[in-house]
Amino acid sequence: VASEVASEVASEVASSEPQRKTTKITNKDNSKKTESAVTHKIARLLVDDDGEEDNLAPDDSPEAANQLADRASFAKMSEEAKFKASLAVKKSLAQSDLPQLQKKKDHPLTKPAKKKKADASAAMKHSKITRKEYMILEEKRQNRQRKPAESKKIRATVSETGSDSMGKYAKSMSNHELLRKEDEVVLGREIQILVKWEEERQRLEDQLDSTPTFAQWAEAVNTTVPSLKKQIRRSQRAKAAFIEANLRLVVTVARQTVKKNRSEISFQDACQEGIIGLTRACEKFDPERGFRFSTYAIWWVKKEIHKNVVEQSRTVRLPANAMKKINDIRINERVLMDEIGRKPTDEEIAKRCGLSVDRLQFYRNAARDVASLDKSIQARQGKGSSASGESNDKGTSMADLNAKDTSPSPTDLAASQMLREDVRRLIKTLSPKEQAVIRLRFGIDDGRPRSLDDIGKKFSVEKERVRKIEARALLKLRQPYRNENVKCYISDL
């Protein structure tokens, strides 16, 4: 029995092995075809230079050689290069669209078309008319059915919000091919050629104290002007393909950052900053080290997005070193709490962080969030009047809650300060005796007004003498050419 079972199992395994081998060979062939298609696309992208050369100044003309090689003239990526790169990394029709087309073809809604053809042939056979006459009758019938539909109103809604456009843009990235390691090496080498030549151009610019021409730049890198310009365009196409194929990495990191941070940072801003980091990673990537581009680029993408979070998450932006100190204080406070089993004091935290207590309080005050007084406060929806649908559009703001504050407003403080300065300037137009009497009589300097007897005793004069000096000074102050600067504060002066 055992020998019979063993022979059956061996026969089953032997019969299944050819099928498995055939499946593996088919999968390998399909993967090889896909990889070769991507590689051919990248090769055609690097060679294709049509439509990018300047028609006004061709590469081999003297005008092109005498042009200034500033960064703005060659660092900007052309729209033609972006279009070619997008086509190079886009999935082909056989890989992306054929399964969907096959599903649409087999859909049951597409089957009644065969029935219509069968009904048409039956009608022609029954009525004994030609095919041409039947087509004329069918067209007239369709025109009669189409006329009532034309009188109906057509309503269309167009959604042009940023979220919808970003969603469609993120979905379109799924049509981009993932680059193979060999493709990354080829593209990275092309980008590094331009990076090294640009370093040589910068060195030449420092040496000449002016922007060099393309002829001088080509001579410095031991090449010709046409070859230099072709290589610049080839490197720009390689960078565009690199960026286009790795945009999904930016979207993934940006979405994770927006979900992780509770701050009000938009997904669009995070994607923009991430693309800046991806561009920087393309320029710094060294393909000769042997690792994949995504492993290297994710750190640049995270760095730029985190920088955007730090800048936009707070109303009052703090420097990077201050944010680092604040995070260190929070981390050390939690570590000390776990070590000693209680809330640490300010002295313990300051000693752990290597700061003084005053400096610790300074960073804590800087870390406080700023809330706007105009921000509306909305109650939680629930049962009762709030759930009836009648809502107040204005709502309650923080300023309404702080309306009982009796302290002077900044406008009143500024007006009182300006009034004091103008009054002091007005008093200086009097004589020294009159200035001293007026200052003491009304308490302008210290806020304590004196009587006529006190002023007379201070200057060892009679009370009547002080009264006459005061009257003469007030008469002068009422003159129009003196008091025109203070009329805006007191209307009946």
Side-chain angles (χ1 to χ4, degrees), residues 195-250:
V195 171
K196 292 178 181 179
W197 286 6
E198 190 173 352
E199 292 175 357
E200 187 67 25
R201 188 202 65 84
Q202 186 64 37
R203 186 191 63 78
L204 185 62
E205 182 177 354
D206 297 340
Q207 182 180 355
L208 298 175
D209 290 334
S210 62
T211 304
T213 61
F214 278 99
Q216 294 173 341
W217 188 12
E219 185 179 357
V221 296
N222 297 325
T223 185
T224 60
V225 175
S227 301
L228 174 64
K229 290 204 165 187
K230 284 184 179 180
Q231 181 60 46
I232 290 173
R233 293 193 292 267
R234 188 183 302 117
S235 300
Q236 293 293 353
R237 290 195 298 271
K239 185 191 292 187
F242 236 145
I243 295 172
E244 196 78 20
N246 291 277
L247 284 177
R248 66 182 74 186
L249 177 65
V250 175

Side-chain angles (χ1 to χ4, degrees), residues 264-281:
E264 297 179 357
I265 176 175
S266 62
F267 177 66
Q268 290 88 341
D269 292 342
C271 287
Q272 286 183 347
E273 297 297 329
I275 291 174
I276 294 175
L278 181 64
T279 306
R280 185 62 177 162

Side-chain angles (χ1 to χ4, degrees), residues 150-386:
E150 292 176 355
S151 62
K152 293 182 180 179
K153 294 182 179 180
I154 299 175
R155 295 180 181 180
T157 57
V158 180
S159 179
E160 296 180 353
T161 59
S163 58
D164 293 342
S165 61
M166 283 300 298
K168 293 179 181 178
Y169 183 63
K171 288 181 180 179
S172 66
M173 294 177 189
S174 60
N175 294 329
H176 295 168
E177 287 281 0
L178 292 176
L179 297 178
R180 297 166 54 246
K181 186 175 181 180
E182 293 78 5
D183 301 331
E184 292 179 353
V185 171
V186 173
L187 296 177
R189 287 173 180 171
E190 295 294 335
I191 297 173
Q192 286 302 310
I193 292 175
L194 181 59
V195 171
K196 292 178 181 179
W197 286 6
E198 190 173 352
E199 292 175 357
E200 187 67 25
R201 188 202 65 84
Q202 186 64 37
R203 186 191 63 78
L204 185 62
E205 182 177 354
D206 297 340
Q207 182 180 355
L208 298 175
D209 290 334
S210 62
T211 304
T213 61
F214 278 99
Q216 294 173 341
W217 188 12
E219 185 179 357
V221 296
N222 297 325
T223 185
T224 60
V225 175
S227 301
L228 174 64
K229 290 204 165 187
K230 284 184 179 180
Q231 181 60 46
I232 290 173
R233 293 193 292 267
R234 188 183 302 117
S235 300
Q236 293 293 353
R237 290 195 298 271
K239 185 191 292 187
F242 236 145
I243 295 172
E244 196 78 20
N246 291 277
L247 284 177
R248 66 182 74 186
L249 177 65
V250 175
V251 173
T252 302
V253 176
R255 187 178 288 114
Q256 293 175 356
T257 305
V258 171
K259 289 183 179 179
K260 180 180 178 182
N261 291 274
R262 293 175 293 177
S263 58
E264 297 179 357
I265 176 175
S266 62
F267 177 66
Q268 290 88 341
D269 292 342
C271 287
Q272 286 183 347
E273 297 297 329
I275 291 174
I276 294 175
L278 181 64
T279 306
R280 185 62 177 162
C282 291
E283 297 174 356
K284 303 288 288 184
F285 176 64
D286 188 3
E288 307 302 333
R289 292 183 178 270
F291 48 80
R292 298 300 298 269
F293 175 74
S294 58
T295 307
Y296 178 76
I298 192 170
W299 297 106
W300 285 95
V301 175
K302 286 183 176 180
K303 178 184 176 182
E304 293 295 333
I305 295 178
H306 179 68
K307 182 180 177 182
N308 185 33
V309 170
V310 172
E311 289 180 354
Q312 296 189 7
S313 60
R314 298 178 59 89
T315 306
V316 180
R317 191 184 73 85
L318 295 178
N321 55 351
M323 288 298 300
K324 185 179 180 181
K325 286 287 185 182
I326 292 170
N327 293 331
D328 291 341
I329 291 171
R330 291 173 179 172
I331 293 172
N332 290 322
E333 185 177 0
R334 293 177 183 177
V335 171
L336 282 173
M337 190 181 296
D338 294 337
E339 291 179 355
I340 62 180
R342 58 176 175 83
K343 187 176 181 179
T345 61
D346 293 345
E347 290 77 8
E348 293 173 347
I349 298 173
K351 185 178 179 181
R352 183 67 175 262
C353 298
L355 302 171
S356 61
V357 179
D358 296 337
R359 200 66 179 170
L360 178 66
Q361 292 296 334
F362 171 76
Y363 283 120
R364 280 183 172 175
N365 293 333
R368 292 177 181 175
D369 293 333
V370 180
S372 176
L373 293 176
D374 297 330
K375 185 177 182 180
S376 61
I377 301 174
Q378 297 179 355
R380 185 175 57 183
Q381 295 290 337
K383 297 181 180 179
S385 60
S386 62

Side-chain angles (χ1 to χ4, degrees), residues 397-408:
S397 62
M398 294 288 293
D400 298 335
L401 299 178
N402 296 331
K404 296 181 180 180
D405 191 6
T406 58
S407 60

Side-chain angles (χ1 to χ4, degrees), residues 104-119:
K104 290 182 180 179
K105 185 178 179 181
D106 297 337
H107 199 273
L109 293 178
T110 59
K111 291 181 179 180
K114 298 180 180 179
K115 187 177 180 182
K116 288 183 179 180
K117 291 182 179 179
D119 295 341

Side-chain angles (χ1 to χ4, degrees), residues 423-431 434-435 476-477 481-483:
V423 168
R424 289 193 184 101
R425 199 176 293 113
L426 176 63
I427 292 174
K428 286 181 180 180
T429 61
L430 303 174
S431 63
E434 294 169 349
Q435 290 184 31
K476 288 182 180 180
L477 292 176
Y481 74 92
R482 291 177 186 265
N483 59 17

